[in-house]
Amino acid sequence: MVQSYLRHGPTEAFGLVCSSSSNSHYDGKLAYVPALEDVLVWDVKRGQMMAMWHETGHRAEVTSILRSPQKDVFAIGYADGSIRLWSASSASVIATFNGHKKAVTALAFDETGTRLASGSQDTDLILWDVVGETGLYRLRGHRDQITSIRFVRPLAASAPSTSTGTAPGYLLTASKDTFLKLWDLQTQHCIQTVVAHRSEVWTMDLNPEQDLVFTGSSEGEMKVWKVDHEALSQGLRETENGEVTKFILPATTLPLASSHRVSEISFHPHKPYLAVQSHDKSVEVFRIRTEEEIKKKQARRRRRAKEKELEKKGKKGDNAGDDVQMDGEHDDKEVELADLFTPYLIVRASGKIRSFDFGDEEVGGKGNTQLFVALSNNALEVYSIPPPTKTKDAAPEASRVFSVDLPGHRTDVRTLCLSSDDALLASASNGSLKIWNMKTTACIRTMDCGYAICSTFLPGDRQIAVGTKSGEILIYDIASSSLVDTIQAHSATVWSIHVRPDEQGLVSGSADKDVKFWEFERKPVDSENPRSASLLTLVHVRTLKMTDDVLSVRYSPNGKLLAVALLDSTVKVFYQDTLKFFLSLYGHKLPVLSMDISGDSKLIVTCSADKNVKIWGLDFGDCHKSIFAHDESVMQVAFERNDTREGETKASHYFWTVGKDKMVKYWDGDKFENIQKLEGHHGEVWALAVSHHGKFVVTGSHDKSIRVWEKLDEPLFLEEERERELEALYETGIADTLNRADAPIGSGAPGADPSAAASGGAETTTVTKQTTETLMAGERIMEALELADTEIETFREYEEARSKGGLAESVAPPPRNPVLAAYDVTPEEYVLRVVEKVPSTALYDALLVLPFGKVVSLMRYLNTWAQKEWNIVLTSRIIFFLLKTHHHQIVANRVMRTALIPLRRNLREGLRRQKDTIGYNLAALRFIQRQTDAKRTAEFYEEEEDLTEDKVREKIAEGKKRKRVSIKA
């Protein structure tokens, strides 16, 4: 009988406010922030999470967030190069775009939200059609990661008056290769490349009027460029001296308060503010002034200067003429760009800023502007920027109005422990200890602590002991969320504490080479009232001196033995009562970081920085097995506990390990087999806590997230699990080989000169990327074609035989294919059904999988669909794509001609009918719109009052009278 195990599955991560993998978006009320692979929606005012956008099974981190002009739609870019369009109201994915090979780093919508441009670390720029859910084309030209993209809309004057369609417009892109490029989307080519800075361009933004471009570099300088819209409307021309016209012209450099990397530049959507982040912890806000303001200021300055001059010269008559002349000179002085942008104030955040955003809507009244800041230490803050005042008494200061920081740690989660009933989880990091409710994953207590290294609940679950880096053991009371006792236990880091199985004391091991034993002493909180709750304190009873730093201490569950792991890579086992030496476990090459003893006290499992896990017998200290467990140091190990409530008597020998390779693994300690690998964390995993009832396991990591892995009822078989892993590996391998861009011949592929390959390639190409989904969709289409072909063939043979008279009338027709019979459809309908089920984003990639023979057979079905006008849009999309892709074979093949001619006729007819219908509907809708407009204007005037001719005359007369009166006065 093959042994079966129970599978463990991930539940949602918690402890995250926001991760620093991406930018964030704020609309004045809700903040949309990245949380590793998810997007969280926070109500910043209430500090409450409103939604979590999570797609099951998708593990890539979020790297870019952008809201569409259609407010409900968000484009989210991921580290695996995919882009998902999410609907905010339903928190579900609308479409998935695959085209980039590496992380998506920049996104931009055009003003209607129908086209999306994305840039990536793979240096490509892709334009997507959001409505048709397809990739339009890929633009190549940058040599490094694209850092920002903006659409430049052509001015209305440049479009011909008769055209009804919108002009494709232009794209501006900035990249780490120091270039700023302008692309013409009509010809799909780059029309100007500007060397913007001496170093990487990290950010770029256009002002709302779209005539100035601001770029920021890693050297900390911010440059301003002018966009010449007149030249753009005339297109590429040669000037007199034979040069091509320039559309982007350098204007000026704006001084910044600090010379760090300029990581983000952003204009307020409708207020005269410009915000720039160039320092780690602050955002500089500029105010954009109008030319009138500046001219007034200049005039004031001139007046002052003039007054001073006059005072100095003691009003000599001969200088008066000069002054007037001087004044005249100043008037011609042009207003400079740098004068338009004046430093207004600096917003200083409480931590390192990852990104910032202005609130869209007007909130907070009094004309204040909100600036939202996402910090890289897992917190969000909102600052309020006061409007400019006329008085000069105080410089304006930004004030912090909201912050969200309690639901997560500022630094890595270093230790986790569970209460005995699994209801509470304590997590501690450098600076804070948090208590979580395991049912709701809400943070219910937050307490300050030092640099926590290890922790445990004390018997009774009312208190928690935390060992710190400075050698103290801190005791916290959960109910009052206060520090009750600080014990200066050791002179160096407390690496490990463990409660004795009889719950009467605990042991602590430290880097000062001591193992100390403590007894619990209960003392009442209130000495007057004998019935009040009692608090536990620690009393030091004895010390065991070791030869080296102690890294881990563990009691055996039967209370007889104590294991101590030392820095010299050995584990020493002592008798608990007499502290007599019993065994030395020797074999690890690097120190043992953690260990655990099984429930029946028969096995001890140790994990070490040498990436190995060793399983030892506790009777003789023999090593049963050494397993190469992780690709990096193994940080923690723990045996699974049995669920005593279900009456399982035999102690479990299954154990869990976590490592710096971000993996959580589940092992069988008797068969030495890896049962399950759980991926999910995005940073090294420091902490592990196992449920006392064997129901789940909790892990805490450097990515600041805490994840719970639950035991499911689904059985797991080792052979199947291994097969599944291999299959997944194979599938990703296939997709990767299909996506491989072949290097030019003779380039010595792996080290081929990347610039040579890039320059040889076309500037604009199609958007394709094979994934396992597209491969499977292609296979489904092939299967459907085969099934339909055989079905049609069998019936054709049957009909032929009957017409020749080879079959008697009584012979029944062949049975229909069971699939077709079940759906009760014709073969042609069945193929259409299968093709319709392929998501439109994956359709083209799926069609690329088909071999040419299948393309020919698909053409026959396309003809039928066009004839019967089934889904004419899809039919024509497929036809045009196939003709474009397989043009050479189709032209060279005589057979195809017979299929294509009727297809052309049928398709033209179908499309013409569709066009007529749509044209008719459009005309009707425009008519209705005109009617409602006219009606509304008429109502508006009628509401004023019922005007008759007499009344109108009276009004006119009144106006005249008034004027007369005013003149007399």
Side-chain angles (χ1 to χ4, degrees):
M1 167 92 182
V2 181
Q3 186 176 0
S4 73
Y5 303 88
L6 286 178
R7 183 182 294 285
H8 284 74
T11 62
E12 61 185 48
F14 58 95
L16 275 172
V17 179
C18 68
S19 61
S20 59
S21 57
S22 152
N23 63 318
S24 311
H25 178 81
Y26 179 61
D27 66 4
K29 182 167 179 271
L30 300 177
Y32 301 85
V33 297
L36 303 174
E37 68 269 38
D38 306 328
V39 174
L40 302 183
V41 183
W42 290 96
D43 182 331
V44 185
K45 196 171 181 180
R46 292 188 299 173
Q48 211 174 356
M49 192 198 295
M50 305 306 286
M52 178 188 225
W53 300 351
H54 174 80
E55 190 177 8
T56 324
H58 187 240
R59 287 195 50 252
E61 279 187 276
V62 173
T63 53
S64 186
I65 295 179
L66 180 67
R67 189 177 204 163
S68 160
Q70 292 156 355
K71 294 292 182 207
D72 185 45
V73 179
F74 279 80
I76 312 287
Y78 293 88
D80 60 357
S82 64
I83 300 165
R84 282 170 175 65
L85 291 181
W86 287 83
S87 155
S89 52
S90 65
S92 60
V93 179
I94 306 168
T96 306
F97 295 135
N98 276 307
H100 290 294
K101 295 184 178 63
K102 290 187 184 164
V104 178
T105 51
L107 293 169
F109 276 106
D110 64 355
E111 65 264 31
T112 52
T114 49
R115 287 176 305 168
L116 170 69
S118 64
S120 154
Q121 281 179 359
D122 62 10
T123 75
D124 287 353
L125 175 69
I126 299 184
L127 236 83
W128 307 92
D129 175 354
V130 175
V131 183
E133 296 186 0
T134 54
L136 298 172
Y137 44 86
R138 184 192 301 263
L139 297 170
R140 294 193 166 130
H142 280 295
R143 305 254 179 95
D144 204 342
Q145 170 183 332
I146 293 175
T147 50
S148 58
I149 306 174
R150 290 289 178 274
F151 274 90
V152 182
R153 50 176 186 273
L155 291 179
S158 62
S161 54
T162 49
S163 75
T164 49
T166 54
Y170 303 91
L171 260 191
L172 255 179
T173 58
S175 157
K176 283 192 184 178
D177 58 8
T178 74
F179 296 147
L180 184 64
K181 280 179 180 278
L182 181 66
W183 307 82
D184 182 348
L185 299 183
Q186 198 149 13
T187 57
Q188 300 172 17
H189 282 291
C190 174
I191 51 175
Q192 190 184 352
T193 301
V194 184
V195 180
H197 292 268
R198 285 196 301 278
S199 58
E200 303 168 337
V201 183
W202 273 92
T203 175
M204 178 256 301
D205 199 10
L206 272 167
N207 67 341
E209 293 77 47
Q210 296 220 333
D211 55 359
L212 296 177
V213 181
F214 285 68
T215 56
S217 77
S218 56
E219 288 175 345
E221 62 174 351
M222 177 160 84
K223 286 189 183 174
V224 187
W225 310 80
K226 272 201 169 95
V227 180
D228 189 345
H229 278 282
E230 277 182 23
L232 270 180
S233 61
Q234 291 164 2
L236 279 171
R237 299 272 172 94
E238 273 192 33
T239 52
E240 295 84 51
N241 51 8
E243 285 181 3
V244 178
T245 44
K246 297 270 191 284
F247 307 111
I248 301 172
L249 310 161
T252 178
T253 302
L254 284 185
L256 291 174
S258 67
S259 58
H260 298 266
R261 177 180 107 197
V262 181
S263 45
E264 194 174 349
I265 297 175
S266 172
F267 280 89
H268 192 287
H270 44 258
K271 285 193 178 175
Y273 289 116
L274 161 71
V276 180
Q277 183 204 338
S278 72
H279 184 261
D280 274 352
K281 290 191 172 185
S282 62
V283 173
E284 203 174 336
V285 179
F286 289 84
R287 195 161 68 81
I288 307 168
R289 298 191 299 186
T290 56
E291 298 211 0
E292 287 80 61
E293 274 183 76
I294 292 166
K295 282 193 172 140
K296 274 183 199 163
K297 201 167 181 186
Q298 282 177 354
R300 265 209 310 276
R301 274 190 194 150
R302 282 201 300 278
R303 256 205 323 275
R304 275 198 216 111
K306 200 164 147 188
E307 282 163 15
K308 277 183 188 162
E309 288 283 320
L310 291 173
E311 277 170 26
K312 258 189 218 164
K313 310 237 163 136
K315 297 203 172 70
K316 289 179 191 166
D318 53 0
N319 281 10
D322 295 358
D323 275 338
V324 175
Q325 195 184 334
M326 220 170 77
D327 216 9
E329 281 170 18
H330 274 288
D331 265 346
D332 307 335
K333 194 173 161 198
E334 186 64 30
V335 175
E336 287 186 7
L337 258 179
D339 297 337
L340 290 174
F341 298 91
T342 54
Y344 181 53
L345 58 83
I346 291 180
V347 177
R348 290 190 168 80
S350 60
K352 193 174 165 194
I353 297 174
R354 168 58 180 87
S355 71
F356 66 86
D357 193 16
F358 283 113
D360 294 351
E361 278 98 59
E362 198 45 65
V363 273
K366 296 188 214 140
N368 284 5
T369 306
Q370 289 199 344
L371 182 76
F372 165 82
V373 179
L375 305 179
S376 38
N377 63 5
N378 200 21
L380 312 173
E381 297 180 332
V382 176
Y383 287 86
S384 174
I385 299 170
T389 52
K390 292 275 187 282
T391 53
K392 295 215 171 113
D393 44 0
E397 264 193 17
S399 53
R400 185 165 84 180
V401 275
F402 308 123
S403 74
V404 181
D405 55 359
L406 284 179
H409 286 284
R410 297 291 75 76
T411 49
D412 300 10
V413 179
R414 284 305 299 256
T415 168
L416 294 169
C417 57
L418 282 159
S419 62
S420 57
D421 58 356
D422 289 343
L424 298 178
L425 169 75
S427 65
S429 66
N430 178 6
S432 64
L433 166 72
K434 290 184 184 286
I435 313 291
W436 308 82
N437 174 347
M438 282 306 290
K439 268 210 175 69
T440 60
T441 68
C443 177
I444 49 180
R445 294 275 188 276
T446 297
M447 298 163 256
D448 291 336
C449 70
Y451 197 135
I453 296 291
C454 53
S455 62
T456 177
F457 271 88
L458 297 183
D461 291 338
R462 286 173 168 278
Q463 285 140 293
I464 291 176
V466 176
T468 67
K469 202 167 183 171
S470 54
E472 295 163 333
I473 294 180
L474 309 173
I475 295 183
Y476 290 89
D477 180 51
I478 297 174
S480 64
S481 67
S482 58
L483 175 63
V484 240
D485 207 351
T486 303
I487 300 142
Q488 195 57 53
H490 295 272
S491 56
T493 309
V494 181
W495 281 115
S496 174
I497 51 181
H498 192 213
V499 176
R500 209 162 68 205
D502 61 3
E503 300 193 342
Q504 297 307 310
L506 65 79
V507 61
S508 65
S510 156
D512 63 5
K513 306 185 183 178
D514 285 356
V515 176
K516 291 193 178 177
F517 298 85
W518 312 80
E519 296 280 337
F520 295 134
E521 191 177 84
R522 293 182 186 277
K523 64 169 184 194
V525 184
D526 184 2
S527 49
E528 318 290 291
N529 178 7
R531 281 229 179 88
S532 73
S534 61
L535 289 178
L536 294 180
T537 56
L538 299 184
V539 182
H540 181 210
V541 283
R542 53 183 175 170
T543 306
L544 177 62
K545 296 267 184 200
M546 304 301 288
T547 53
D548 220 326
D549 294 17
V550 177
L551 295 182
S552 178
V553 285
R554 219 70 193 148
Y555 280 113
S556 66
N558 63 12
K560 290 188 178 162
L561 303 173
L562 169 76
V564 180
L566 299 179
L567 195 61
D568 63 6
S569 313
T570 61
V571 175
K572 307 265 192 276
V573 185
F574 298 89
Y575 287 103
Q576 185 266 125
D577 43 8
T578 58
L579 295 188
K580 240 163 109 182
F581 176 73
F582 173 45
L583 294 169
S584 174
L585 310 177
Y586 172 83
H588 279 293
K589 294 181 181 62
L590 289 168
V592 171
L593 300 176
S594 166
M595 53 189 179
D596 200 16
I597 300 174
S598 65
D600 54 9
S601 304
K602 293 256 171 59
L603 294 181
I604 178 170
V605 58
T606 57
C607 70
S608 153
D610 62 13
K611 310 175 190 176
N612 284 309
V613 165
K614 289 186 190 286
I615 302 162
W616 319 75
L618 260 187
D619 297 340
F620 311 107
D622 53 327
C623 178
H624 289 188
K625 185 77 174 166
S626 178
I627 305 171
F628 179 70
H630 288 262
D631 298 337
E632 296 279 337
S633 303
V634 190
M635 298 311 295
Q636 294 274 342
V637 61
F639 273 102
E640 185 178 65
R641 311 280 164 79
N642 273 16
D643 196 344
T644 43
R645 295 167 302 182
E646 286 178 11
E648 291 177 23
T649 45
K650 191 169 170 285
S652 166
H653 281 185
Y654 303 158
F655 63 91
W656 290 91
T657 59
V658 296
K660 278 192 177 176
D661 61 356
K662 312 173 190 177
M663 298 289 268
V664 181
K665 296 190 181 183
Y666 185 34
W667 305 85
D668 182 338
D670 293 329
K671 291 205 164 85
F672 321 124
E673 290 272 11
N674 176 11
I675 304 170
Q676 212 183 342
K677 289 187 184 74
L678 296 167
E679 297 177 88
H681 280 293
H682 293 263
E684 47 265 37
V685 188
W686 292 113
L688 168 74
V690 178
S691 148
H692 292 275
H693 301 303
K695 288 279 174 257
F696 58 84
V697 54
V698 192
T699 53
S701 154
H702 168 73
D703 62 18
K704 302 183 186 63
S705 71
I706 301 170
R707 289 169 196 263
V708 181
W709 312 85
E710 277 186 340
K711 187 180 272 188
L712 312 170
D713 296 334
E714 184 190 338
L716 174 150
F717 299 98
L718 293 181
E719 276 76 28
E720 281 180 19
E721 194 63 14
R722 293 299 91 80
E723 265 174 37
R724 183 186 277 149
E725 281 167 20
L726 283 172
E727 255 170 42
L729 203 68
Y730 172 65
E731 279 174 359
T732 50
I734 290 185
D736 289 346
T737 47
L738 284 172
N739 289 328
R740 195 183 70 224
D742 290 325
I745 295 174
S747 60
D753 176 23
S755 56
S759 57
E763 188 171 33
T764 166
T765 56
T766 53
V767 182
T768 58
K769 182 185 178 190
Q770 295 295 353
T771 60
T772 38
E773 287 76 38
T774 59
L775 292 176
M776 277 152 73
E779 280 172 13
R780 281 200 299 277
I781 296 175
M782 281 196 266
E783 280 167 15
L785 287 170
E786 270 169 26
L787 188 147
D789 284 350
T790 42
E791 181 77 352
I792 289 171
E793 189 57 31
T794 17
F795 272 89
R796 196 179 55 76
E797 282 171 5
Y798 169 73
E799 291 299 331
E800 259 181 26
R802 273 190 64 175
S803 60
K804 282 182 187 160
L807 284 178
E809 287 293 314
S810 55
V811 176
R816 286 175 69 187
N817 184 299
V819 179
L820 299 177
Y823 284 123
D824 192 26
V825 287
T826 61
E828 292 87 356
E829 272 180 287
Y830 177 68
V831 177
L832 179 63
R833 265 196 189 188
V834 172
V835 175
E836 276 178 335
K837 278 192 187 134
V838 177
S840 56
T841 45
L843 179 64
Y844 289 169
D845 288 326
L847 292 173
L848 283 176
V849 178
L850 304 185
F852 188 64
K854 289 279 175 280
V855 173
V856 178
S857 109
L858 180 59
M859 284 286 193
R860 289 203 284 279
Y861 294 103
L862 288 169
N863 188 12
T864 318
W865 302 345
Q867 207 172 343
K868 301 192 175 171
E869 286 195 37
W870 290 341
N871 200 335
I872 210 86
V873 182
L874 181 71
T875 308
S876 41
R877 265 182 66 189
I878 295 177
I879 289 174
F880 298 138
F881 179 74
L882 290 177
L883 288 178
K884 210 161 61 182
T885 317
H886 300 286
H887 181 255
H888 297 307
Q889 293 96 311
I890 291 173
V891 174
N893 194 335
R894 296 290 293 277
V895 185
M896 295 300 289
R897 197 183 160 87
T898 48
L900 282 173
I901 290 169
L903 178 61
R904 183 178 67 184
R905 193 180 60 246
N906 293 334
L907 193 62
R908 266 197 192 153
E909 280 296 300
L911 283 173
R912 196 179 51 76
R913 272 189 228 113
Q914 284 248 331
K915 191 180 160 198
D916 292 348
T917 317
I918 289 173
Y920 184 83
N921 291 344
L922 204 59
L925 285 169
R926 283 199 185 122
F927 173 68
I928 294 168
Q929 188 186 6
R930 280 200 299 275
Q931 262 191 325
T932 49
D933 284 353
K935 206 168 167 188
R936 272 161 66 191
T937 18
E939 273 174 14
F940 178 70
Y941 281 119
E942 279 166 16
E943 273 170 19
E944 284 279 300
E945 54 196 297
D946 304 327
L947 291 179
T948 58
E949 211 171 321
D950 304 339
K951 279 185 181 171
V952 173
R953 281 202 180 128
E954 273 172 33
K955 273 202 154 179
I956 294 168
E958 260 177 30
K960 280 178 185 163
K961 270 179 204 161
R962 264 190 210 137
K963 267 183 195 159
R964 246 178 245 146
V965 175
S966 63
I967 289 166
K968 267 184 194 171

